[in-house]
Amino acid sequence: MTSNSGLPALKIFKFTLRVVGDQRVVIPQPCTHLSVQFQFGNLCLWSLVAPEGEEAPKRVRIFGTGDPVTDVGGMQHIGTVQEQGGSLIWHVWIEP
């Protein structure tokens, strides 16, 4: 499917993340990461993607408040989220 401009149509996709320090998520390219939030108890990432684009693994790093933050050079901070009524705070980075 293409847009009126002849470029591939973009869509917003949701990806479920695990609350772990380091993981990879396969995302169609090109992509723009929009937001990270909890939805129904799951940590989710929303990204604007070209659905028919080539898929690529993107590294995700998650740190709790007060934890040492390491190995995030060149990554994009996409959000800070709260869990368990604000008793747990997570800070999320992803490869652009």
Side-chain angles (χ1 to χ4, degrees):
M1 173 183 266
T2 59
S3 66
N4 291 339
S5 67
L7 298 173
L10 300 177
K11 294 184 178 182
I12 297 173
F13 278 14
K14 177 176 75 173
F15 304 91
T16 301
L17 303 176
R18 294 173 287 122
V19 182
V20 298
D22 199 349
Q23 62 192 288
R24 299 219 182 257
V25 178
V26 177
I27 300 176
Q29 302 300 299
C31 68
T32 300
H33 307 299
L34 303 174
S35 180
V36 62
Q37 299 178 38
F38 276 95
Q39 182 184 42
F40 307 117
N42 295 309
L43 183 57
C44 298
L45 164 69
W46 285 268
S47 298
L48 182 66
V49 304
E52 287 126 23
E54 185 174 332
E55 292 185 334
K58 296 291 184 175
R59 187 176 186 200
V60 176
R61 304 275 290 149
I62 300 174
F63 301 93
T65 296
D67 291 345
V69 176
T70 58
D71 203 17
V72 295
M75 298 181 84
Q76 173 189 1
H77 179 262
I78 53 169
T80 296
V81 297
Q82 298 183 33
E83 186 178 23
Q84 297 181 8
S87 62
L88 296 173
I89 310 297
W90 306 109
H91 310 276
V92 183
W93 276 263
I94 191 166
E95 288 179 322

